[in-house]
Amino acid sequence: MTRATRTPSAVARALERIDRLDPGLGAFIEVWPAEALAREPAARHLPLRGLPFAVKGLTGIRSYAARRLIAAGGVPVGATSVPGPGTVWQTWGQGAHGRTVNPWRADRTPGGSSAGSAVAVAAGMVALATGSDGAGSVRIPAAWCGVFGLKTTNGLLPSPDRSGLASAGVLARSAADAEPYVRHVLDGYEEPAAPPPLPLPAVYSEDLGFADVDVEVAAVVRAAVDRLVASGTVRLVEHGCGLLDPARAWQAVRGGAPGDPEAVAVRRANDDRLDALFTAVPLLLTPTTPNRPHGHEGPGELYSTALTWAFNLSGHPAASLPAGFTRDGCPVGLQLVAAHGTDARLLAMARAVEGALPAVRR
């Protein structure tokens, strides 16, 4: 009699994929197989039923989000790469096996600083990974690796950054797969009673009034928006969204000078404009980045954060989901921004949007 083959557990499957794929991708700094397998039996009796997840950086295991996920039955399997000592900032990540590479094109960066988390999710090593976003550090790698990334409302969760610009976030294969994070990490989470009514009133801005956007990136995102309109998922509303360029204001706040007169004036003006926008509509759509994934030598003078860091200054929740690909095979992200504190509603709107767009090929 032959003994039935036992199906590997979810944690065992995740560890096998990490062992097989990570030497070529450099997504992990450390992997914890013994600890993860030991946690799994007890975790199966909790709501997340032993869901394997990764944490951003070596300090990620001590984060508020990681502790909440573990308490709900998640199993951390390892720490993902971030820029580290001796790492040229443009490479965005340094894993145990070397430089972190984009899983779609190894000659391109995955974005950062939640580099390894995005790569681990994109390559199917884990279904969910924690991140943090101070200028786009969740949304940019999500866009460039073809996965979903959410930056929560600033102040909703403990910030890993003294300036308050950084907010906790999550990377997952889809908005639906990010739901366990929102459900179990955010206090007072209330699942919407029903999906949001369609079409979603939304404003689309290609450049937020100041960014220089790659023509092909803009075309990919506009095609995705047109598809959303044609499917009845989104109804575009004419409403101005011309913001002031937040670059110098962000740098002043990050440098410890939030009272800098220019920073105060830019933040006040942009806050007023965004308040007016979200009074009129629940959703703002933009490209996530103005550029496609660049090489490991860096982007030159171009700020990949041009379309993301405004919402670290304003504090709004924002997400990136896959919009399509450039002709040279680089993923492009569509950014969704919503009113303060509407993180669960933003996730529900993101699920509706991604349901109307083509699935990302694996």
Side-chain angles (χ1 to χ4, degrees):
M1 180 182 295
T2 51
R3 182 178 298 172
T5 302
R6 179 177 295 177
T7 302
S9 69
V11 169
R13 292 196 300 273
L15 293 169
E16 185 277 328
R17 287 186 66 83
I18 294 169
D19 185 61
R20 177 161 50 87
L21 298 175
D22 197 51
L25 294 172
F28 282 86
I29 302 170
E30 289 185 358
V31 183
W32 310 314
E35 297 94 326
L37 290 169
R39 284 182 188 269
E40 188 176 23
R44 288 187 188 133
H45 301 287
L46 296 169
L48 291 181
R49 300 182 181 276
L51 174 76
F53 72 96
V55 298
K56 177 184 178 178
L58 292 175
T59 61
I61 193 64
R62 300 195 298 272
S63 69
Y64 178 83
R67 297 198 306 269
R68 293 294 294 263
L69 290 170
I70 292 168
V75 176
V77 295
T80 58
S81 65
V82 294
T87 303
V88 179
W89 74 268
Q90 291 96 335
T91 66
W92 297 115
Q94 186 76 17
H97 298 285
R99 182 170 65 190
T100 309
V101 302
N102 192 302
W104 297 94
R105 285 192 52 165
D107 64 330
R108 304 294 176 94
T109 175
S113 61
S114 303
S117 287
V119 173
V121 168
M125 290 186 269
V126 290
L128 185 149
T130 66
S132 58
D133 188 316
S137 294
V138 164
R139 289 162 288 162
I140 293 169
W144 287 355
C145 292
V147 298
F148 176 81
L150 170 69
K151 176 196 87 69
T152 57
T153 298
N154 288 59
L156 201 61
L157 296 171
S159 174
D161 177 30
R162 286 180 296 179
S163 72
L165 290 169
S167 186
V170 61
L171 295 112
R173 290 174 294 192
S174 67
D177 286 342
E179 192 272 341
Y181 178 98
V182 175
R183 176 184 293 274
H184 294 287
V185 173
L186 299 188
D187 284 329
Y189 168 80
E190 290 187 14
E191 185 175 3
L198 303 180
L200 300 167
V203 169
Y204 174 64
S205 176
E206 178 181 299
D207 58 8
L208 292 177
F210 59 82
D212 182 13
V213 180
D214 177 295
V215 172
E216 193 173 351
V217 168
V220 170
V221 175
R222 183 69 222 203
V225 171
D226 289 345
R227 185 183 184 102
L228 295 174
V229 172
S231 68
T233 306
V234 161
R235 174 175 60 84
L236 292 183
V237 175
E238 291 295 329
H239 191 290
C241 187
L243 302 184
L244 300 179
D245 187 342
R248 291 184 63 180
W250 186 95
Q251 291 161 355
V253 174
R254 185 69 179 85
D260 174 84
E262 181 180 353
V264 170
V266 168
R267 295 183 80 174
R268 182 175 295 129
N270 284 350
D271 286 350
D272 288 346
R273 296 175 192 187
L274 289 168
D275 285 347
L277 187 149
F278 289 119
T279 298
V281 296
L283 188 62
L284 169 64
L285 304 173
T286 80
T288 304
T289 64
N291 52 338
R292 68 192 75 194
H294 54 73
H296 294 279
E297 72 283 354
E301 298 300 315
L302 186 65
Y303 283 109
S304 304
T305 54
L307 296 167
T308 51
W309 54 6
F311 306 110
N312 296 90
L313 280 170
S314 70
H316 291 86
S320 177
L321 55 81
F325 292 81
T326 57
R327 285 172 292 183
D328 59 354
C330 293
V332 174
L334 170 65
Q335 180 172 225
L336 286 68
V337 189
H340 292 117
T342 61
D343 300 61
R345 187 181 185 192
L346 174 59
L347 187 64
M349 290 190 289
R351 291 186 67 167
V353 166
E354 74 180 4
L357 295 176
V360 175
R361 66 182 188 273
R362 294 292 170 206

